[in-house]
Amino acid sequence: CKGPMRSAMRKTLKSLSQESIQRQSAATCHRVLALECVQQANGVCTYLSMPTELQTTVLLTGLFNDRYMGMIQHSTVGEDKARAVFVPKVLGEDRSSMVVVPVMGGAAEIDSYPKNTWNIREPELRTELTTDELWKLAVPLVDVVIVPGLAFDTACRRLGRGRGYYDTFLDMLTCKRDSLGLAPPFTIGVCLEEQIVPEVPAAPHDRVLDAIVTSQTTFRRADN
């Protein structure tokens, strides 16, 4: 029953005005920035938004304006309370092909990214950074991940777009952090009020997020 819910939610999102999307997005981003886990994070990974979903522009602006660390220097992490910012990059069709790339140049770098087939800005891989090197940068730093989706419920279940990139990436990141003795990343779904549904259909392998944030409410998995 995931297919019908995806179709219905896509229609709902297309019917929303840009004014409503922008208003809700700004309020939601401010709520995310105020979360203690985000304020204390060594690194935050956030998606770059397509037009018909919650916009992360205000979130990125807030991250770049506070403790932003452009150049990844492991020795400074935790010492000067710097915070890195990462964004996703899909390298292929396989569900395990999503990596995250450090943003070295702030908002100007984001604005320079070309748009992909989903009309989302996406970083171009630097030739000097292999996939293994990207993981080595991300694993010790990314302790918060902002997760997109089509629908969410108050138990912090998420309905994605069906490609499995985020579930697989989060499983891999959790495993790699565990091998270093680090806690799993704190996962935050962000969405418009219209994307909250009574119950998201979930299979046993579907990942439950730690929190869902909308313009008016924060739902936490620990509360359920």
Side-chain angles (χ1 to χ4, degrees):
C1 54
K2 290 184 178 181
M5 184 175 285
R6 285 191 178 103
S7 297
M9 190 56 68
R10 286 190 177 101
K11 289 181 181 177
T12 296
L13 291 172
K14 286 181 180 178
S15 73
L16 298 178
S17 69
Q18 277 301 306
E19 189 277 331
S20 176
I21 292 174
Q22 295 295 340
R23 175 178 48 79
Q24 291 191 57
S25 297
T28 303
C29 289
H30 286 303
R31 291 179 67 91
V32 171
L33 289 166
L35 293 174
E36 185 178 2
C37 64
V38 173
Q39 292 185 352
Q40 296 185 352
N42 290 314
V44 176
C45 173
T46 182
Y47 70 94
L48 302 178
S49 39
M50 61 179 72
T52 55
E53 67 182 348
L54 187 130
Q55 304 294 293
T56 54
T57 309
V58 170
L59 174 60
L60 284 160
T61 299
L63 293 172
F64 291 140
N65 285 343
D66 180 27
R67 297 198 296 117
Y68 171 58
M69 178 175 61
M71 299 304 292
I72 305 301
Q73 297 172 326
H74 290 275
S75 61
T76 65
V77 174
E79 294 176 11
D80 61 0
K81 302 298 183 183
R83 182 174 57 196
V85 177
F86 290 76
V87 293
K89 169 75 174 176
V90 174
L91 301 176
E93 294 297 320
D94 186 81
R95 60 186 294 143
S96 65
S97 65
M98 191 177 101
V99 296
V100 296
V101 179
V103 181
M104 304 291 197
E109 179 179 324
I110 299 284
D111 291 340
S112 74
Y113 294 160
K115 292 185 177 181
N116 63 18
T117 53
W118 298 299
N119 202 31
I120 305 171
R121 292 197 182 277
E122 193 174 52
E124 295 180 295
L125 285 186
R126 300 175 180 85
T127 54
E128 70 272 16
L129 290 177
T130 65
T131 301
D132 285 345
E133 287 168 334
L134 288 171
W135 275 109
K136 286 179 182 177
L137 286 173
V139 171
L141 292 176
V142 177
D143 37 28
V144 173
V145 181
I146 309 300
V147 186
L150 276 174
F152 302 84
D153 65 21
T154 59
C156 296
R157 290 182 289 252
R158 165 185 173 265
L159 180 69
R161 295 179 180 271
R163 294 186 288 268
Y165 291 132
Y166 269 91
D167 282 341
T168 306
F169 167 75
L170 291 171
D171 286 346
M172 293 172 67
L173 179 60
T174 298
C175 182
K176 290 174 184 290
R177 283 178 62 87
D178 182 67
S179 70
L180 296 180
L182 298 172
F186 193 87
T187 53
I188 304 170
V190 291
C191 67
L192 306 168
E193 299 290 342
E194 291 83 356
Q195 291 175 273
I196 296 292
V197 299
E199 184 176 356
V200 167
H205 66 272
D206 289 334
R207 190 182 188 95
V208 179
L209 302 178
D210 294 300
I212 307 293
V213 181
T214 72
S215 61
Q216 299 178 20
T217 312
T218 299
F219 303 102
R220 295 178 185 272
R221 181 173 58 170
D223 296 337
N224 292 280

